[in-house]
Amino acid sequence: MARQFFVGGNFKMNGTKESVAKIVEGLNKADIPSNVEVVIAPPAPYIALAVNENKQKNVEVSAQNCFDKASGAYTGEISPEQIKDLGATWTLTGHSERRTIIKESDDFIASKTKFALDQGLSVILCIGETLEERKANVTLDVCARQLDAVARVVSDWSKIVVAYEPVWAIGTGLAATPEDAQETHKAIREHLSKSIGADAAEKIRILYGGSVNGKNAPEFKDKADVDGFLVGGASLKPEFVDIIKSRL
Ligand code: PEP
């Protein structure tokens, strides 16, 4: 079945009002194919700016993270309601930088994912193994564990996009090979087929993330289970548009 090509841009903790506006302006001017879904995730202070500057129909705005409560005494956190109030429609959950640096657990990420979905946001759920885990040959066990935590609390996966991002490939310039990515994506889909059902697993988009750039993106073109990309560093540069157009 045809799954719509999806490209996410995670700006991480980068940018200023000026630079974020410039990126959105670049996207406004770009000839983005109508069959590509693009989601950009600027830092939280610039969500409203990105929403307001965006003129492209198939570009949406995402938060990079959210909390699993609506409001209250949670200093420094941001709720799905607030994300929606700013005009964003997506949030990332489970990015490896939050799993490893902020020490977010599988269960906390699952709880946030569920809460964000319940509040009407769509979610890019990030999973992936560290280099040590890859060397120990437990890539699939790790991905399965991270997915199962979400599957225990979420039954409807229609508003989730899974981003497989091996931690060793993020920001390192060492992208997984298209063959490696395809093999893992296929295994992830097979696992999802057992946990959330064959139909949902067939429909869900599985993105690859980790050092994707304008040059290597087209190499993933014929990989059946690679339904798009989550892009970090290159989403801040003009080559982001090349990645968006890499399936043409
Ligand atoms: C990311 O942060 O999600 C990511 C994939 O980063 P990069 O593209 O810079 O490796």
Side-chain angles (χ1 to χ4, degrees):
M1 74 156 292
R3 292 176 288 266
Q4 188 182 15
F5 185 52
F6 186 109
V7 180
N10 172 19
F11 298 179
K12 312 195 192 206
M13 198 174 72
N14 293 302
T16 59
K17 282 187 288 187
E18 196 185 336
S19 68
V20 170
K22 215 167 145 198
I23 293 170
V24 179
E25 197 188 308
L27 289 173
N28 288 341
K29 285 188 187 139
D31 185 16
I32 296 179
S34 59
N35 58 354
V36 184
E37 188 169 1
V38 180
V39 173
I40 52 169
Y46 306 128
I47 288 176
L49 181 144
V51 168
N52 294 335
E53 295 292 319
N54 174 40
K55 306 282 179 271
Q56 289 276 10
K57 252 201 346 273
N58 48 338
V59 173
E60 288 177 271
V61 180
S62 175
Q64 295 176 9
N65 179 42
C66 72
F67 200 55
D68 65 347
K69 305 280 186 300
S71 62
Y74 304 105
T75 303
E77 292 298 335
I78 164 170
S79 75
E81 281 300 332
Q82 291 168 329
I83 293 166
K84 284 195 305 178
D85 195 32
L86 296 176
T89 45
W90 288 80
T91 185
L92 266 66
T93 56
H95 191 280
S96 67
E97 285 147 19
R98 298 208 60 91
R99 291 182 190 267
T100 58
I101 303 169
I102 318 285
K103 308 276 182 246
E104 291 189 358
S105 69
D106 294 340
D107 287 341
F108 183 41
I109 291 160
S111 173
K112 297 204 279 191
T113 303
K114 176 178 168 33
F115 193 68
L117 292 167
D118 287 348
Q119 303 307 303
L121 289 175
S122 298
V123 174
I124 301 174
L125 168 65
C126 306
I127 60 167
E129 83 286 4
T130 63
L131 185 59
E132 291 68 36
E133 290 164 338
R134 184 175 183 81
K135 283 184 181 157
N137 221 6
V138 292
T139 296
L140 291 176
D141 302 302
V142 171
C143 293
R145 192 197 73 220
Q146 294 171 344
L147 290 167
D148 288 350
V150 178
R152 278 196 290 276
V153 293
V154 171
S155 50
D156 180 0
W157 284 59
S158 61
K159 288 194 161 176
I160 296 182
V161 170
V162 171
Y164 167 61
E165 301 203 300
V167 181
W168 48 269
I170 296 182
T172 58
L174 286 173
T177 65
E179 291 68 31
D180 264 357
Q182 167 57 25
E183 195 183 316
T184 309
H185 283 217
K186 188 163 178 277
I188 288 170
R189 200 180 301 284
E190 280 164 8
H191 180 79
L192 283 172
S193 183
K194 287 182 222 134
S195 59
I196 66 169
D199 190 46
E202 187 56 28
K203 285 188 181 133
I204 200 161
R205 267 96 48 98
I206 305 177
L207 317 178
Y208 167 72
S211 297
V212 173
N213 56 42
K215 196 158 169 277
N216 61 19
E219 295 167 12
F220 293 78
K221 207 171 182 164
D222 64 346
K223 299 298 174 231
D225 290 287
V226 179
D227 305 310
F229 303 111
L230 182 57
V231 184
S235 68
L236 301 165
K237 302 179 189 162
E239 68 185 294
F240 188 50
V241 174
D242 300 331
I243 299 170
I244 292 169
K245 291 180 172 179
S246 65
R247 288 278 158 107
L248 283 178

